[in-house]
Amino acid sequence: MSLNCPSYLLVRQRTLCYKRLNPVRAMPPSSVILHTDESGQFPESRKTCNPLIASLSSYDGPLLSAPNTVGILGGLSVDSTLNFLRKLVHLSKENKAKCMPFVVCSDPVLNRELSYLERSSSSLCSRNEPSQSDHTCIVENLRSKRVFLEKSGAHCIVMPCHISHSWHDEVFKGCSVHSLHMAECVARELKEAGLKPLEAGSPLRIGVLATDATLKAGFYQEKLQIEGFEVVMPDKATMEHAVIPAIDALNRKDMEGARNLLRIALQVLLVRAVNTVIIASDDMRDVLPRDDPLLKKCIDPMDALARSTIKWAQQAAEEGT
């Protein structure tokens, strides 16, 4: 098997098969990180005696064969991907269920490209400059990793990354397995929550707080409007005087400044009679302390994606037994 796609690969296998014909499936359940060089190959100088890694490097079949195997395509940062994995484990325990088998693909090169794109789009210095970025390389990178996850045995693929969903349709074009769209997951949960308008006779309003790049992509607005919500976004003044300066403060490691500015942006949205605010930004997600009262009126789309992933995996496991 040629592992020429991800720079980091985490494989979680909890199924056990005793047939000696398949060296990967004959091993006990485990989690392992495979490190590759810039070309995606295992460096000759780092050959390992680990039998699992040795088997994966030569095996031509899927890494995992369970019908509820999930492929996780990392994006903006390793921290965001690991945060999503923690949510999967925690929410699975809450449901008194075992966490599904999964394969994680995380590429530091892609992390840097996505991070630069998102942060530069919301920078005070670069916002007024004409954009000359070509996203073809990013889309091809994401698509190649999606294909890799398919071949690894994933029956459902998710992207715990907001900005990556800007090209969701392109990345999953021709995909042979199921995929979950983060904005669809959160919009569906809000629809099922049976919310009532805060003002009589008014439509249900949902606020979306995100970076300039994610807001311009428009996928949160699209998915929420399909479910009948009115979408409220920061106006130009709020973006220029609160949201963008908050991200610049984060880049300068000025956490206190970022918190104060983010609170202003949230309060501006809340006074416009929104039922809740979707914080659709990896950077903004952890700015406020967990006990901040404003967070009670906010939701993290990663939670909705994790719950939908668990629900899919449970149904797939039942149908596969």
Side-chain angles (χ1 to χ4, degrees):
M1 177 179 181
S2 176
L3 296 179
N4 59 0
C5 186
S7 293
Y8 297 99
L9 171 69
L10 173 68
V11 181
R12 183 184 187 279
Q13 179 175 343
R14 65 179 180 86
T15 55
L16 181 61
C17 179
Y18 294 98
K19 294 183 179 180
R20 293 289 180 183
L21 295 178
N22 187 330
V24 174
R25 295 174 196 163
M27 293 177 185
S30 62
S31 295
V32 63
I33 296 178
L34 307 183
H35 298 274
T36 63
D37 58 22
E38 290 297 322
S39 65
Q41 303 295 331
F42 293 106
E44 291 296 326
S45 60
R46 298 182 182 178
K47 290 297 183 181
T48 177
C49 60
N50 185 315
L52 177 58
I53 294 178
S55 298
L56 290 176
S57 63
S58 60
Y59 181 53
D60 290 328
L63 301 179
L64 299 176
S65 59
N68 63 333
T69 298
V70 172
I72 300 169
L73 206 171
L76 192 66
S77 70
V78 175
D79 286 341
S80 295
T81 304
L82 292 177
N83 176 65
F84 179 72
L85 291 176
R86 283 190 289 268
K87 289 180 184 293
L88 280 183
V89 174
H90 176 71
L91 292 173
S92 294
K93 288 181 178 178
E94 279 192 350
N95 293 334
K96 297 181 180 180
K98 293 181 179 179
C99 190
M100 75 293 293
F102 57 75
V103 182
V104 181
C105 182
S106 181
D107 179 3
V109 174
L110 181 61
N111 296 160
R112 288 194 296 270
E113 290 176 346
L114 291 173
S115 180
Y116 174 79
L117 173 64
E118 184 167 78
R119 293 185 179 183
S120 63
S121 72
S122 295
S123 167
L124 288 173
C125 297
S126 63
R127 195 165 187 247
N128 295 325
E129 296 176 2
S131 174
Q132 299 178 356
S133 58
D134 182 0
H135 304 148
T136 302
C137 291
I138 293 178
V139 173
E140 287 300 320
N141 197 337
L142 288 167
R143 186 182 291 125
S144 67
K145 288 168 176 55
R146 183 267 294 171
V147 172
F148 174 85
L149 290 171
E150 283 184 83
K151 293 180 178 179
S152 297
H155 290 264
C156 177
I157 299 175
V158 299
M159 295 193 300
C161 172
H162 301 283
I163 191 66
S164 294
H165 281 74
S166 302
W167 313 285
H168 184 277
D169 292 346
E170 296 172 73
V171 171
F172 286 93
K173 184 178 182 180
C175 184
S176 63
V177 300
H178 189 65
S179 67
L180 294 174
H181 191 295
M182 187 150 53
E184 285 182 356
C185 294
V186 71
R188 183 169 56 248
E189 281 198 357
L190 287 170
K191 183 71 172 181
E192 294 171 353
L195 302 174
K196 302 296 183 183
L198 296 183
E199 296 178 344
S202 299
L204 275 168
R205 298 190 181 101
I206 303 297
V208 178
L209 187 62
T211 61
D212 209 40
T214 299
L215 291 176
K216 285 181 177 178
F219 54 88
Y220 274 105
Q221 298 92 302
E222 175 191 350
K223 302 302 181 183
L224 288 166
Q225 287 168 355
I226 288 174
E227 295 294 349
F229 296 108
E230 180 179 303
V231 182
V232 179
M233 298 180 295
D235 56 22
K236 183 179 179 181
T238 304
M239 287 298 294
E240 292 182 349
H241 299 295
V243 178
I244 295 174
I247 295 172
D248 281 343
L250 273 177
N251 293 337
R252 299 193 308 270
K253 309 299 182 184
D254 177 11
M255 290 302 295
E256 188 61 31
R259 289 190 189 103
N260 292 334
L261 289 164
L262 182 58
R263 288 188 179 108
I264 292 172
L266 286 171
Q267 288 165 347
V268 169
L269 287 176
L270 290 170
V271 298
R272 295 170 68 183
V274 299
N275 285 70
T276 189
V277 177
I278 296 172
I279 301 183
S281 166
D282 296 294
D283 287 332
M284 297 180 199
R285 184 190 63 237
D286 299 321
V287 171
L288 297 182
R290 298 196 176 200
D291 59 351
D292 193 298
L294 281 174
L295 289 182
K296 294 181 180 179
K297 299 181 179 294
C298 302
I299 55 176
D300 182 357
M302 294 286 184
D303 291 330
L305 181 62
R307 283 188 288 265
S308 295
T309 302
I310 292 169
K311 183 178 180 180
W312 174 88
Q314 290 173 337
Q315 292 176 343
E318 292 171 0
E319 294 171 359
T321 55

